[in-house]
Amino acid sequence: MKKLTLFIFMCIGICQLTNAQQKRTQEVLYLKNGSIIRNAKSLQYLDSLIEIQTTEGSLFRFELSDLDSIAREPVRVKFRTHGYFLAVEAGLLFGHDTPITIEKRNTEASLQIVSGYQWNSHWATGIGAAMDIYQSGTTLPLFLRGMYTPLTNWLTPLISFDMGYGLYTKAFNGSSINGQLSQGGLFINPTVGFIARSEKRTAFSFSIGYRHQHAQQSFINEKETTSKNIILHRMSIRVGLSF
């Protein structure tokens, strides 16, 4: 419970910081000829002239009589609408195995990396790799992702779906028993949540979903082969940072 509480407070803090970035203001100069100058870094009066330097490095000089008005307006933040991205995500897992192998469960962990492409303001796809550490073993899911964000604001709901194959190898789940074979199976993870975007093309995400992993262990001896199917059911709570 303490880990979950800390996890939630961290998410709230990041969202508040992102929200504060969206409320910054800037001086905007309107000229009588219809021109508009934004992102003014410095403003100097030189006799009858005004000299403006913007944050992009541009320099403007014009007569004071050409100035119509000066206003303070919110900074127009440019969010990612297309292009490649890389996301690093960490999460907590809660649930049980089928068959149930451990009566008392601790909080389990997941770490994954997703590389993808943002097609427009709403749709993105990607490929990912993860490491899920369970009480009953460790899996290495490899998956495809589809993601949808309905809004173009700095804060938008998120719907995503991961699907692939989870490796359940002897390298991570072997034992001293001779003749043991391990293999993975279907991996899926649909989630819902939200994304908080920042002006530097980075974004913070928070999601809750269902994580499903199928695996199998086989034991081979001289007389027979026995197999045990393992189905891992988990509720996943995940945070991520993409850039």
Side-chain angles (χ1 to χ4, degrees):
M1 182 60 71
K2 290 182 179 180
K3 292 181 179 180
L4 179 59
T5 302
L6 180 61
F7 196 74
I8 293 174
F9 273 109
M10 181 181 68
C11 297
I12 295 174
I14 295 176
C15 285
Q16 289 178 339
L17 179 62
T18 305
N19 186 28
Q21 292 181 341
Q22 317 309 318
K23 296 181 179 179
R24 293 191 298 109
T25 60
Q26 63 177 339
E27 284 189 341
V28 181
L29 287 81
Y30 293 88
L31 305 186
K32 292 180 179 179
N33 62 4
S35 301
I36 301 174
I37 302 176
R38 292 187 171 88
N39 302 319
K41 181 180 179 181
S42 64
L43 185 152
Q44 294 183 357
Y45 293 90
L46 306 174
D47 296 329
S48 62
L49 297 177
I50 295 179
E51 182 179 275
I52 303 295
Q53 184 173 7
T54 66
T55 55
E56 290 85 4
S58 301
L59 185 66
F60 299 93
R61 285 181 180 174
F62 51 87
E63 295 287 340
L64 181 60
S65 58
D66 294 332
L67 177 64
D68 184 26
S69 62
I70 300 177
R72 181 161 289 277
E73 300 176 359
V75 175
R76 293 186 176 183
V77 180
K78 294 182 179 180
F79 303 128
R80 183 199 306 272
T81 57
H82 66 277
Y84 292 98
F85 68 88
L86 181 68
V88 179
E89 302 170 346
L92 303 177
L93 306 174
F94 308 89
H96 63 83
D97 303 350
T98 304
I100 298 177
T101 56
I102 300 176
E103 294 182 0
K104 184 178 180 181
R105 300 231 164 254
N106 296 318
T107 304
E108 299 162 323
S110 173
L111 179 66
Q112 60 190 38
I113 298 176
V114 180
S115 176
Y117 191 84
Q118 183 82 34
W119 299 99
N120 51 46
S121 300
H122 303 291
W123 292 98
T125 56
I127 57 174
M131 173 178 285
D132 294 346
I133 303 174
Y134 301 98
Q135 293 293 308
S136 56
T138 298
T139 65
L140 303 175
L142 305 174
F143 56 88
L144 299 176
R145 167 172 294 183
M147 186 171 65
Y148 175 69
T149 52
L151 304 180
T152 58
N153 303 330
W154 75 271
L155 184 65
T156 175
L158 160 70
I159 301 173
S160 71
F161 187 83
D162 299 343
M163 183 174 182
Y165 184 88
L167 302 173
Y168 190 77
T169 65
K170 188 175 180 180
F172 289 94
N173 306 288
S175 71
S176 58
I177 301 175
N178 294 327
Q180 175 180 315
L181 299 176
S182 300
Q183 65 183 53
L186 175 67
F187 165 82
I188 59 173
N189 187 198
T191 65
V192 294
F194 65 84
I195 286 182
R197 303 183 176 106
S198 75
E199 62 180 322
K200 296 183 179 180
R201 295 177 59 83
T202 60
F204 165 79
S205 65
F206 175 85
S207 62
I208 299 176
Y210 168 70
R211 205 168 180 91
H212 171 98
Q213 173 68 64
H214 183 270
Q216 186 180 75
Q217 285 184 332
S218 300
F219 302 92
I220 304 174
N221 55 40
E222 296 179 354
K223 297 181 179 180
E224 60 179 357
T225 299
T226 59
S227 298
K228 178 179 68 174
N229 289 318
I230 301 174
I231 301 177
L232 306 171
H233 306 276
R234 296 294 186 275
M235 178 183 75
S236 68
I237 299 179
R238 191 168 64 220
V239 296
L241 183 65
S242 61
F243 49 91

